[in-house]
Amino acid sequence: MAPAAEDAETKRQRRRTSTAIKESLRELSVQLSLFNHQLSSHVDLRDSDLDCLDVIQRHGPLSPTALVRRTGLHAATMTGILDRLEKGGWIARDRDSVDRRAVVLRALRERNPEMFRLYSGMNTSMDKLLTGYTVDELETIADFVRRTTEAGKSATDDLTAG
């Protein structure tokens, strides 16, 4: 939060720093997209397939409808994604034990070692980077990343809603 009364120089510095942070976040977004594109091509997936797989791994098991809601993708697009993920051995479509008509998506663990290997370079780089920060600084960074993620989700939801 900005203090109630900032002098003109502090306001300018805040604007410059805020702009620099937003620019860096845009650069980060592009770099992570390029990284994920390269990663997905190594495992013969499309970028959106990899995104959906990540959501299933993090939040699953879940229904296809819940996945559509979480991603904002069209149901017909999701069908193709799920077909590719299932064919590639990444997910299973299981029948719900209570409502046999309902399908539940579950990530399969057999291919996890392959993904861990592909992410290992990035994880190692991040581990090295994070050692340069104190615990208090890491908590501030974690809070910033969490709140930035929430802002991104809100903006995505707004665009999806029209």
Side-chain angles (χ1 to χ4, degrees):
M1 293 279 158
E6 289 183 339
D7 64 28
E9 180 55 33
T10 302
K11 287 180 182 178
R12 278 191 293 280
Q13 183 62 35
R14 176 177 291 281
R15 278 193 308 274
R16 282 193 297 269
T17 303
S18 294
T19 298
I21 289 170
K22 289 184 261 186
E23 284 297 316
S24 291
L25 287 171
R26 287 180 69 194
E27 290 177 31
L28 173 62
S29 175
V30 169
Q31 190 55 55
L32 289 176
S33 291
L34 294 171
F35 174 75
N36 283 329
H37 178 73
Q38 288 300 315
L39 192 141
S40 63
S41 71
H42 275 79
V43 292
D44 200 28
L45 292 175
R46 297 178 185 178
D47 295 357
S48 57
D49 299 354
L50 185 64
D51 292 339
C52 289
L53 176 60
D54 190 49
V55 171
I56 294 167
Q57 288 173 329
R58 291 168 167 273
H59 304 287
L62 68 164
S63 71
T65 302
L67 184 59
V68 164
R69 270 191 241 113
R70 279 191 176 271
T71 62
L73 296 172
H74 191 275
T77 301
M78 187 61 69
T79 300
I81 291 170
L82 296 177
D83 288 346
R84 287 188 297 275
L85 289 174
E86 186 176 42
K87 182 179 177 186
W90 295 101
I91 66 162
R93 289 174 169 145
D94 299 326
R95 293 286 171 194
D96 187 285
S97 59
V98 176
D99 180 357
R100 298 293 300 156
R101 296 169 297 167
V103 172
V104 177
L105 306 170
R106 173 178 55 88
L108 299 175
R109 296 175 190 231
E110 290 81 6
R111 296 198 68 182
N112 281 354
E114 186 176 1
M115 292 302 261
F116 291 147
R117 182 182 57 76
L118 291 169
Y119 278 108
S120 67
M122 181 63 159
N123 286 331
T124 299
S125 294
M126 290 302 299
D127 289 342
K128 287 178 186 175
L129 171 76
L130 295 173
T131 61
Y133 293 95
T134 67
V135 171
D136 286 344
E137 289 170 329
L138 290 172
E139 288 173 357
T140 299
I141 293 167
D143 179 62
F144 174 77
V145 171
R146 180 188 54 75
R147 292 168 63 187
T148 301
T149 301
E150 289 171 3
K153 182 182 180 328
S154 177
T156 301
D157 290 347
D158 290 347
L159 284 174
T160 302

